[in-house]
Amino acid sequence: MTTEDVTIGDTMRTLTRRAMLGLGAGAAASLTACGTHKSDGATHAGGSRDDRPDGPDEAGPTARPIGDGSTSYTGKQPHQPAPPVPLEPGETPPQFVVFSWDGAGEVGNGLFPRFLDLAREHDARMTFFLSGLYLLPESRKRLYDPPNNPRGASDIGYLTDDHIKDTLANVRRAWLDGHEIGTHFNGHFCGDGPGSVAHWTPRQWRSEIDQAASFVKEWRTNTGWTDLPSLPFDYDKELVGGRTPCLLGQDNLLPAARELGWRYDASSPGGLQVWPGRRQGVWDLPLQQIPFPGRGFEVLAMDYNILANQSVNSTNAPAHHHPAWREQATQAYISGFKRAYETNRAPFFVGNHFEQWNGGIYMDAVEEALKHIARERDKGADVRLVSFRQFTDWLDAQRPEVLARLRTLGVGQRPAGGWQAFLADPADSAGTSGPADSAGTATGAANAA
């Protein structure tokens, strides 16, 4: 990490303090949305465009309630890609791109449906890491027993009843549109104190996961609402991965994740644009360092981190900065995509929050980057805009020796002799790349989420 690269943990704590003190009404409102406000047929990515309905899909009449009816079994998820197949010898791997969202609450700013509409327009799938507390009314907050914190405590705000209803509607639509619903856990406890997720044990992580899942599976009981449709999925089967608050605590999370059969975790505190491996039997899919135009260092591909290196602790910096910062953020994402696509084809992961910091420039940057990537795909590039779960499906379908060979490529490194020669007979060189279950990388950029 360079001296210029701001530590996002410090920024997160400052933003939380600003919201607690009521500094800046606009900033505090947007912080609530993203988790820092304190309160007591198959095509590229699945589903051809021609068969997309004009309005949100609806679950069919075969829906079968689960438990209290908060969730239901509705059959196979719509708009999924064809089952993945192994790469042929010498075949160039696709360029996978995953856009993901932490918190995934809709608080009246229209950002959740905005990006659902964008994804539908461009035949993209995403991952939404839902905070369980966003489906729990504040009047029932004592149902939440966070590890090493008082009962009902949370470093993110509980949503209003109307916003819980909006969140339910958008989560429902997201799944029916083919997106993944992961978890961002519950109370978003960061910092250095004993209550921080950084210090939780595997058993405490298991409690946090179980509670997050229960708030999704029992929202009907907890709210008393009987006139809203069920979520159209079995969350016990849907939930196969998550991202921890502030990218903290992964080491002790992984034993709990493995015990639950999770297939991946996206909580590594900063990775590189290289092909991933497993940690403790779970695919380790970290946020990655990407080029930061005009600067001598790289930045994690997340709105928090870009903000931290532009306006430091301010979410409402003077407007004259916004156009240049918006362009810088957009080009950072595009540069990260381009570097991977033109060299090692490592998957490109982007993480964000539904926020309106600095005039909403980071939301605009994500939208413009996704449009750029979709245009490249539509011009013939083998690009797949997928969820983490869909990418994990592809990884699991590949031969271990092929993945091992891909992991020998460094950041921005093209395969020697081209892809046809590089992957012609990967078994011959698999032994040089190290074990598939690796410690991973965690260097350089500031933490976020």
Side-chain angles (χ1 to χ4, degrees):
M1 182 186 302
T2 73
T3 56
E4 294 179 278
D5 200 0
V6 179
T7 301
I8 197 65
D10 294 337
T11 301
M12 287 279 292
R13 288 189 288 274
T14 300
L15 295 179
T16 302
R17 287 195 296 271
R18 285 174 54 82
M20 291 172 63
L21 294 171
L23 299 179
S30 64
L31 288 169
T32 303
C34 64
T36 56
H37 173 62
K38 172 87 171 182
S39 174
D40 203 69
T43 56
H44 306 290
S48 86
R49 297 177 200 184
D50 293 337
D51 68 8
R52 299 306 299 241
D54 293 333
D57 294 347
E58 293 296 334
T62 59
R64 185 171 69 247
I66 299 172
D68 69 355
S70 296
T71 57
S72 59
Y73 177 77
T74 59
K76 184 178 179 180
Q77 185 178 13
H79 309 300
Q80 297 301 294
V85 296
L87 289 173
E88 295 291 336
E91 182 180 358
T92 303
Q95 178 61 57
F96 290 96
V97 180
V98 181
F99 286 90
S100 58
W101 301 90
D102 290 3
E106 171 53 38
V107 297
N109 55 22
L111 290 173
F112 203 150
R114 169 183 169 181
F115 284 95
L116 288 177
D117 290 345
L118 182 72
R120 175 173 287 191
E121 179 183 356
H122 295 284
D123 195 28
R125 306 297 172 267
M126 301 177 178
T127 292
F128 296 91
F129 291 123
L130 176 64
S131 293
L133 287 191
Y134 284 170
L135 300 186
L136 181 70
E138 188 166 8
S139 63
R140 305 298 304 279
K141 70 180 183 179
R142 288 189 61 80
L143 291 175
Y144 178 40
D145 187 14
N148 299 340
N149 287 277
R151 182 176 286 273
S154 174
D155 275 358
I156 58 174
Y158 289 86
L159 302 189
T160 67
D161 286 358
D162 284 346
H163 291 160
I164 294 174
K165 292 177 181 179
D166 290 342
T167 298
L168 284 166
N170 282 281
V171 168
R172 174 182 168 82
R173 178 187 165 187
W175 191 86
L176 290 171
D177 274 2
H179 305 292
E180 176 190 9
I181 310 301
T183 187
H184 200 44
F185 307 93
N186 292 307
H188 211 282
F189 299 104
C190 300
D192 301 320
S196 170
V197 298
H199 305 299
W200 290 358
T201 67
R203 178 176 294 183
Q204 289 172 326
W205 273 114
R206 177 61 188 265
S207 172
E208 178 78 353
I209 295 167
D210 290 345
Q211 291 184 79
S214 75
F215 298 145
V216 176
K217 296 188 297 182
E218 299 171 9
W219 63 262
R220 194 179 297 278
T221 295
N222 294 334
T223 62
W225 302 331
T226 59
D227 58 343
L228 299 179
S230 302
L231 294 174
F233 50 80
D234 181 344
Y235 202 45
D236 286 335
K237 296 179 179 178
E238 173 69 12
L239 182 55
V240 296
R243 180 178 288 138
T244 63
C246 301
L247 307 180
L248 296 172
Q250 187 192 52
D251 287 346
N252 282 340
L253 166 68
L254 287 176
R258 184 179 65 246
E259 181 181 56
L260 287 165
W262 282 16
R263 299 175 59 206
Y264 75 87
D265 179 65
S267 305
S268 293
L272 304 175
Q273 286 190 278
V274 295
W275 283 89
R278 288 188 175 96
R279 294 191 66 197
Q280 300 187 37
V282 178
W283 286 109
D284 182 28
L285 308 180
L287 288 177
Q288 302 153 325
Q289 296 179 54
I290 58 174
F292 198 32
R295 307 300 292 271
F297 57 90
E298 299 199 342
V299 65
L300 285 189
M302 177 173 265
D303 50 6
Y304 271 145
N305 301 89
I306 295 176
L307 175 143
N309 287 286
Q310 288 178 334
S311 57
V312 191
N313 293 331
S314 174
T315 62
N316 192 24
H320 68 269
H321 291 297
H322 295 173
W325 287 348
R326 180 189 296 110
E327 180 64 15
Q328 185 182 43
T330 302
Q331 291 306 315
Y333 293 134
I334 291 174
S335 295
F337 162 75
K338 183 177 181 181
R339 179 168 68 182
Y341 180 74
E342 294 179 351
T343 61
N344 62 6
R345 291 289 177 94
F348 178 40
F349 306 141
V350 176
N352 287 281
H353 306 76
F354 292 138
E355 45 77 9
Q356 295 174 306
W357 303 325
N358 290 335
I361 61 175
Y362 307 108
M363 299 296 91
D364 295 342
V366 171
E367 178 170 340
E368 290 306 310
L370 187 147
K371 289 178 177 178
H372 173 90
I373 293 168
R375 284 194 299 269
E376 293 299 305
R377 178 200 62 195
D378 296 343
K379 289 189 294 186
D382 189 4
V383 175
R384 305 186 189 181
L385 289 154
V386 299
S387 68
F388 277 118
R389 182 173 191 155
Q390 291 167 340
F391 174 59
T392 302
D393 288 342
W394 186 88
L395 287 175
D396 286 341
Q398 304 310 306
R399 294 186 296 273
E401 61 269 20
V402 172
L403 296 178
R405 182 70 167 147
L406 290 172
R407 281 192 290 270
T408 66
L409 294 172
V411 177
Q413 181 181 1
R414 294 181 174 86
W419 285 108
Q420 187 171 4
F422 186 74
L423 292 181
D425 191 3
D428 288 345
S429 55
T432 66
S433 59
D437 195 326
S438 65
T441 57
T443 59
N447 295 351

